[in-house]
């Protein structure tokens, strides 16, 4: 293989040749076969990332951001392989405990620049797939106030940027009896999630939980 052909290009070509081959083992049929799905689920779910602020809501994640799980998330986000959303939703379904009462999934808002680039809002799309499996509702209660992508290097700057980047939607009606399940793909610094929790709490949400596809252990 020529050196300048990156893995994304290879995946794109494979996708054209065999759109329904398992990303883990190449087996024809589905984008993720049951064996590879179980392989991911055998890994340890990273329930709590490092350095959480006090009284932070419980966090559930499919696993660590590495190997096949990382590869699936990457392809889903950057190659816009929508077929992966159902499989990622199934993984979430396996990992998340049963939640009582009314549950509303609140996807973390994607920047419009990213939506334009990828052709769809990957977090919202995933939220809808997962909601269908669990009979939850989806409500994009958080909106972006400006289209800045996090660029700050230190934690304090990132938190400040994230805090001013989100707002509660004008039409949002927060019910204190509802469970709000904040959904994001990857936890890296946690700055966006911290800001999202703060905004929801400020708007009156009492029961917040967090669902993630993966937790990155590389960044602090
Ligand atoms: Zn497989």
């Amino acid at each position: 293989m020529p050196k300048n052909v990156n893995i994304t290009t290879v995946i794109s070509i494979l996708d054209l040749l065999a759109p329904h081959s398992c990303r883990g083992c190449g087996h024809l049929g589905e984008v993720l076969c049951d064996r590879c799905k179980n392989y991911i689920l055998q890994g340890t779910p990273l329930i709590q990332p490092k350095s959480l602020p006090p009284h932070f809501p419980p966090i559930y994640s499919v696993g660590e951001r590495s190997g096949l799980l990382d590869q699936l998330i990457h392809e889903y986000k950057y190659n816009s392989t929508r077929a992966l959303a159902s499989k990622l939703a199934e993984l979430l379904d396996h990992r998340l405990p049963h939640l009582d009462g009314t549950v509303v999934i609140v996807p973390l808002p994607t920047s419009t620049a990213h939506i334009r680039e990828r052709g769809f809002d990957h977090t919202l799309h995933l939220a809808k797939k997962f909601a269908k499996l669990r009979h939850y509702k989806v409500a994009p209660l958080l909106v972006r106030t400006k289209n800045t992508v996090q660029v700050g290097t230190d934690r304090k700057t990132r938190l400040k940027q994230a805090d001013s980047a989100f707002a509660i939607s004008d039409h949002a009606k927060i019910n204190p009896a509802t469970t709000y399940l904040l959904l994001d793909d990857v936890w890296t610094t946690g700055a966006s999630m911290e800001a999202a929790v703060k905004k929801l709490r400020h708007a009156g949400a009492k029961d917040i939980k967090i669902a993630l596809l993966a937790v990155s252990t590389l960044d602090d």
Side-chain angles (χ1 to χ4, degrees), residues 79-94:
N79 291 27
S80 305
T81 309
R82 290 179 203 220
L84 282 171
S86 306
K87 292 293 163 189
L88 293 169
E90 283 174 25
L91 289 169
L92 278 173
D93 187 37
H94 276 274

Side-chain angles (χ1 to χ4, degrees), residues 22-27 32-33 35-36:
C22 173
R23 273 31 182 187
C25 64
H27 196 274
L32 184 68
C33 74
R35 239 180 62 174
C36 290

Side-chain angles (χ1 to χ4, degrees), residues 127-144:
K128 286 178 180 169
K129 293 285 179 191
F130 181 51
K132 223 172 159 182
L133 291 177
R134 290 276 182 122
H135 306 290
Y136 293 164
K137 289 175 189 146
V138 179
L141 300 177
L142 291 164
V143 290
R144 280 198 177 252

Side-chain angles (χ1 to χ4, degrees), residues 27-192:
H27 196 274
L28 287 179
E30 291 188 278
V31 286
L32 184 68
C33 74
D34 283 349
R35 239 180 62 174
C36 290
K37 194 169 87 182
N38 288 332
Y39 168 76
I40 291 174
L41 290 167
Q42 272 165 23
T44 320
L46 284 177
I47 305 294
Q48 297 291 318
K50 294 181 280 180
S51 54
L52 287 177
H55 312 295
F56 207 66
I59 297 174
Y60 307 99
S61 78
V62 174
E64 189 184 343
R65 184 190 188 174
S66 65
L68 181 56
L69 179 59
D70 184 28
Q71 192 190 313
L72 294 176
I73 297 168
H74 188 93
E75 188 188 340
Y76 175 54
K77 270 175 89 168
Y78 301 107
N79 291 27
S80 305
T81 309
R82 290 179 203 220
L84 282 171
S86 306
K87 292 293 163 189
L88 293 169
E90 283 174 25
L91 289 169
L92 278 173
D93 187 37
H94 276 274
R95 276 293 193 241
L96 261 77
H98 170 80
L99 301 172
D100 284 322
T102 308
V103 180
V104 171
I105 304 177
V106 181
L108 249 69
T110 311
S111 80
T112 44
H114 283 162
I115 295 173
R116 223 179 297 127
E117 242 169 65
R118 296 166 194 167
F120 74 124
D121 184 334
H122 71 282
T123 317
L124 179 62
H125 188 62
L126 174 68
K128 286 178 180 169
K129 293 285 179 191
F130 181 51
K132 223 172 159 182
L133 291 177
R134 290 276 182 122
H135 306 290
Y136 293 164
K137 289 175 189 146
V138 179
L141 300 177
L142 291 164
V143 290
R144 280 198 177 252
T145 50
K146 50 190 175 189
N147 284 304
T148 46
V149 176
Q150 281 183 41
V151 286
T153 45
D154 64 289
R155 184 180 155 78
K156 224 172 132 187
T157 316
R158 280 192 301 247
L159 279 175
K160 222 172 128 189
Q161 281 173 338
D163 199 50
S164 60
F166 294 154
I168 292 284
S169 147
D170 289 342
H171 316 287
K173 283 193 191 79
I174 302 291
N175 184 340
T178 298
T179 299
Y180 293 95
L181 185 64
L182 280 163
L183 174 71
D184 203 6
D185 50 7
V186 178
W187 174 289
T188 40
T189 68
S192 301

